[in-house]
């Protein structure tokens, strides 16, 4: 039996991820503590509010275990606020004003929180995907107060773009980060990456 996919269930829209993983044929395990993380074969860090997520990761003693989890090679998917937590830093805000967000620095990218401003802080659009993800036709992406990817490190591959070419999905080894919400909609191809 494959190990279940852990779903960081501290805050945010983890229930929709559970349903998306189920559609991809994957069992899930809610993760709130290090011992639960240890039983997971992969992990989703959902969207939500990165300020809250960051605080709850520290309160739950999950920071070091999350680092170990990634170095063990198990697949990790971070979406929206989850991507912010995986990043190595925030831009557009002075360090003292990251509003308590302490990213995990597990993906060599920087992000700009709420990068699309207030007027269009939510929108839906088709993605342009890399070759490996194209099977299954067009893929609709939902952006909700989404971060923008800024610096993308040399070892990080862009796997999804907006029609204008802006990167919105990246992968480095076993870590995938998306600025949008793949769990909202019926497309399971990003969740399928967690099957390991
Ligand atoms: N704007 C949120 C943040 O900065 C992220 C929004 C989301 O996850 N949908 O954390």
């Amino acid at each position: 039996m494959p190990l279940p996919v852990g779903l960081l269930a501290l805050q945010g829209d983890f229930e929709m991820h559970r349903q998306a993983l189920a559609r991809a044929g994957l069992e899930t395990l809610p993760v709130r503590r290090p011992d639960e993380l240890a039983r997971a074969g992969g992990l989703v860090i959902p969207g939500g509010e990165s300020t809250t997520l960051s605080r709850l990761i520290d309160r739950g003693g999950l920071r070091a275990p999350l680092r170990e989890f990634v170095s063990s090679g198990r697949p990790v998917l971070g979406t929206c606020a989850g991507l912010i937590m995986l990043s190595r830093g925030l831009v557009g805000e002075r360090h003292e004003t990251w509003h308590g967000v302490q990213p995990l620095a597990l993906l060599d990218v920087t992000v700009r929180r709420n990068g699309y401003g207030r007027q269009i802080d939510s929108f839906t659009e088709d993605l342009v995907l890399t070759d490996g993800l194209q099977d299954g036709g067009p893929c609709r992406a939902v952006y909700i107060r989404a971060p923008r990817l800024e610096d993308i490190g040399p070892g990080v591959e862009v796997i999804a773009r907006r029609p204008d070419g802006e990167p919105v999905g990246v992968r480095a080894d076993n870590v995938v980060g998306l600025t949008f919400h793949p769990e909202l909609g019926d497309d399971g191809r990003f969740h399928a990456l967690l099957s390991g």
Side-chain angles (χ1 to χ4, degrees):
M1 275 290 283
L3 291 173
V5 176
L7 197 43
L8 197 64
L10 299 172
Q11 189 257 346
D13 68 339
F14 47 87
E15 172 55 24
M16 296 303 282
H17 278 287
R18 189 192 63 70
Q19 293 175 23
L21 287 160
R23 283 197 299 274
L26 298 168
E27 294 283 330
T28 48
L29 164 76
V31 168
R32 296 184 180 89
R33 299 192 313 255
D35 61 302
E36 292 163 339
L37 182 60
R39 298 207 302 275
L43 183 72
V44 173
I45 307 181
E49 197 53 55
S50 51
T51 47
T52 309
L53 203 49
S54 184
R55 211 170 40 243
L56 293 177
I57 283 172
D58 286 323
R59 196 178 296 168
L62 281 161
R63 186 167 287 268
L66 283 168
R67 291 228 172 86
E68 282 157 30
F69 192 89
V70 167
S71 21
S72 77
R74 283 169 282 182
V76 175
L77 171 67
T79 65
C80 205
L83 163 66
I84 296 172
M85 285 311 300
L86 288 172
S87 76
R88 76 173 145 76
L90 276 50
V91 300
E93 302 177 50
R94 301 224 321 277
H95 189 275
E96 314 83 79
T97 60
W98 284 6
H99 303 288
V101 180
Q102 294 295 333
L104 293 157
L106 293 170
L107 194 51
D108 186 12
V109 296
T110 60
V111 293
R112 184 181 299 271
R113 290 181 64 214
N114 303 318
Y116 296 98
R118 276 161 199 256
Q119 300 91 327
I120 49 160
D121 45 15
S122 298
F123 60 100
T124 302
E125 194 177 73
D126 278 348
L127 292 168
V128 180
L129 298 171
T130 47
D131 294 350
L133 285 165
Q134 270 170 4
D135 283 355
C139 183
R140 205 99 181 114
V142 180
Y143 300 82
I144 302 170
R145 292 192 305 115
R148 275 185 125 127
L149 283 158
E150 294 279 337
D151 302 318
I152 298 178
V156 179
E157 178 200 359
V158 175
I159 59 170
R161 295 181 186 272
R162 294 185 64 198
D164 67 2
E166 179 180 1
V168 290
V170 286
R171 168 162 52 193
D173 303 317
N174 52 320
V175 182
V176 173
L178 309 174
T179 68
F180 54 91
H181 287 265
E183 76 283 9
L184 303 177
D186 53 12
D187 196 299
R189 74 191 92 176
F190 291 101
H191 290 90
L193 298 175
L194 288 153
S195 61

